[in-house]
Amino acid sequence: MAKAKKKKKNTARSQAAFHTIQGGAEEQTGGFRDYSLLFIVLFLLAFGLVMLYSTSSYEAAIKYGDAAHWLKRQLGATVLGLVGMLIVTLIPYRLWKKVAPAAYGLSVLLVLAIIRFGVEVNGAKRWFRFFGISLQPAEVAKIGVILVTAVLLERLGERIQTWKGLFLSMGPSLFMAVLIYGITNNLSSALIVIAIAAAMVFVASRDYKRFLIIGGSGAAAVAGLIFYIVRNAANADAMEFRGRRILAWLDPQAYAADTAFQTLQGLYAIGSGGVFGKGLGQSMQKLGYIPEAQNDMIFSIICEELGMFGAISIILMFILLIWRFLAIANNAADFFGGMVVTGVMAHIAVQAFLNIAVVTNTIPNTGVTLPFISYGGTSILFLLMEVGLCLSVGRGTPLRAIES
């Protein structure tokens, strides 16, 4: 009987040792690859290219004499981004911990360099241009903030549970947001940078009361600002353009000729699409009615051509994408990897939400693109590199952790 018990113990130990060795082998070989995440991203990219051509072909033919002008540029950026994603995926993600401060410092320098070398496009000085290729430093800054915040949170450890730790961890993002807004006057990118870091700090914290206090104070401040702008609506012409955008958001019909023109045309597109849409390529609003429809307002053309069915399908794809990010973050091999994936997830989720909210007039109009779908070479390039970071974290995760 004693011999039988001893044999059973030895067998259990052998099985445990086998599972340990197996798990270690999976980690060393990068056994897990999230093909679901990869499929969703590739689907969104392909769908985005189709919708970009459908949306922009008319304007591109008139403006450049080539209906595929914007499609070709986006396709080139997408191919470059996919190559970058593959390279980043193959690099062990822990190496980025060492270069995080340098990446953040480089992004700061790029934003500062706009003062001297920036190029103005559509009244905004937010880009560099090299040999016909545009680069928007705000997109580089988002990756820099994700990496440096992940490193900072790991180093702070339990100190993140204090007010001092919270403000220290938010420091890099707040500094970057001030730079972006002060130099490029790009409020939406500045807010996204803060939202990315706030989401990472929120996930790393145990005490959520502080976030309720900060969130409540922020909401009260925004409500007070809106009340002030409404009270002074009679002096709308003297207001800065953001004040007029808030008034146009509250009463689009009153500003239909100027500030709310794009928003109203987008709403007309959404309403005319119905449940199943007019059909791919059949949009009327893209024929010069919606300015720059291939950028911020592409979701309205999706609604017009593919209807509510198409719009909900795309929203579900983003929800699935966020779910895959959550799976990787929850099962990451270490805290740094989990925080990096959380930052990428926050970036894509916040940007998709803001874009759809703007198009549906849920929030005031602001320049935010729809991830993977809207036109924008710099955006697609760095978004794919962020996905590469997540896939790299996933490669270091044992397969059984995801399956369980």
Side-chain angles (χ1 to χ4, degrees):
M1 191 78 175
K3 283 184 180 179
K5 285 183 180 178
K6 190 174 182 181
K7 189 175 180 181
K8 194 178 268 186
K9 279 185 181 179
N10 288 336
T11 304
R13 284 175 185 168
S14 300
Q15 287 176 345
F18 170 75
H19 287 306
T20 302
I21 292 167
Q22 189 184 43
E26 284 175 355
E27 285 195 53
Q28 289 170 7
T29 58
F32 169 67
R33 291 176 177 85
D34 198 321
Y35 295 111
S36 300
L37 173 62
L38 188 59
F39 169 78
I40 295 167
V41 170
L42 291 176
F43 174 84
L44 288 172
L45 288 173
F47 177 81
L49 290 171
V50 171
M51 287 309 306
L52 176 65
Y53 180 70
S54 176
T55 303
S56 66
S57 56
Y58 175 81
E59 287 285 341
I62 293 175
K63 200 170 182 179
Y64 300 102
D66 180 7
H69 173 78
W70 280 306
L71 174 66
K72 291 174 183 176
R73 293 173 69 90
Q74 186 79 341
L75 183 60
T78 300
V79 171
L80 187 62
L82 287 170
V83 173
M85 182 182 76
L86 177 62
I87 293 171
V88 173
T89 301
L90 296 175
I91 297 172
Y93 70 91
R94 292 178 182 86
L95 293 178
W96 294 104
K97 193 185 300 186
K98 298 177 181 178
V99 302
Y104 179 79
L106 175 63
S107 60
V108 168
L109 291 175
L110 285 173
V111 174
L112 289 171
I114 291 177
I115 299 172
R116 176 68 179 84
F117 303 105
V119 175
E120 190 171 312
V121 179
N122 295 330
K125 194 174 181 181
R126 298 171 183 173
W127 292 267
F128 294 124
R129 185 165 289 164
F130 306 100
F131 306 106
I133 299 173
S134 297
L135 173 69
Q136 190 173 10
E139 299 300 326
V140 185
K142 291 168 187 175
I143 291 187
V145 165
I146 289 170
L147 291 174
V148 81
T149 304
V151 170
L152 196 54
L153 288 171
E154 186 178 56
R155 289 181 180 174
L156 284 170
E158 282 300 308
R159 286 179 291 171
I160 188 61
Q161 311 305 330
T162 65
W163 280 100
K164 182 180 179 181
L166 186 146
F167 287 117
L168 281 174
S169 58
M170 288 296 297
S173 62
L174 291 171
F175 178 71
M176 183 66 77
V178 170
L179 275 185
I180 291 172
Y181 179 67
I183 294 173
T184 68
N185 198 26
N186 188 348
L187 180 62
S188 55
S189 288
L191 291 176
I192 289 171
V193 164
I194 294 173
I196 289 169
M200 295 172 72
V201 175
F202 178 80
V203 170
S205 301
R206 290 194 305 268
D207 181 13
Y208 300 145
K209 293 177 184 176
R210 296 173 298 168
F211 294 92
L212 291 174
I213 294 170
I214 294 171
S217 301
V222 170
L225 177 63
I226 292 172
F227 179 74
Y228 172 79
I229 290 172
V230 171
R231 284 288 300 271
N232 292 273
N235 300 319
D237 292 337
M239 286 184 186
E240 135 177 278
F241 73 95
R242 289 194 180 89
R244 292 195 297 275
R245 280 186 177 182
I246 290 174
L247 292 174
W249 165 58
L250 295 171
D251 187 7
Q253 295 292 343
Y255 299 86
D258 42 47
T259 310
F261 178 80
Q262 186 185 46
T263 300
L264 282 174
Q265 295 301 322
L267 291 174
Y268 295 154
I270 294 170
S272 64
V275 177
F276 295 106
K278 296 178 177 178
L280 187 63
Q282 301 303 309
S283 166
M284 292 297 294
Q285 294 303 110
K286 69 184 181 184
L287 305 180
Y289 293 101
I290 301 179
E292 301 290 333
Q294 72 277 6
N295 292 328
D296 307 341
M297 301 298 288
I298 197 168
F299 187 75
S300 63
I301 305 301
I302 293 172
C303 293
E304 185 179 7
E305 294 190 349
L306 304 180
M308 188 183 297
F309 176 81
I312 292 174
S313 298
I314 291 304
I315 292 171
L316 286 175
M317 290 303 291
F318 278 111
I319 292 172
L320 285 173
L321 186 64
I322 293 165
W323 168 63
R324 292 317 306 159
F325 285 139
L326 280 171
I328 297 174
N330 284 334
N331 296 284
D334 61 9
F335 183 80
F336 173 74
M339 283 296 101
V340 167
V341 178
T342 300
V344 175
M345 178 186 69
H347 175 199
I348 293 173
V350 168
Q351 197 158 315
F353 170 79
L354 289 178
N355 177 270
I356 294 171
V358 164
V359 171
T360 55
N361 202 38
T362 307
I363 63 173
N365 199 333
T366 183
V368 179
T369 57
L370 187 62
F372 305 111
I373 296 175
S374 293
Y375 175 74
T378 306
S379 175
I380 207 76
L381 175 62
F382 286 97
L383 277 171
L384 286 172
M385 291 178 71
E386 288 180 24
V387 171
L389 280 172
C390 297
L391 290 172
S392 179
V393 173
R395 289 181 75 243
T397 304
L399 181 61
R400 68 179 190 279
I402 300 296
E403 289 179 337
S404 62

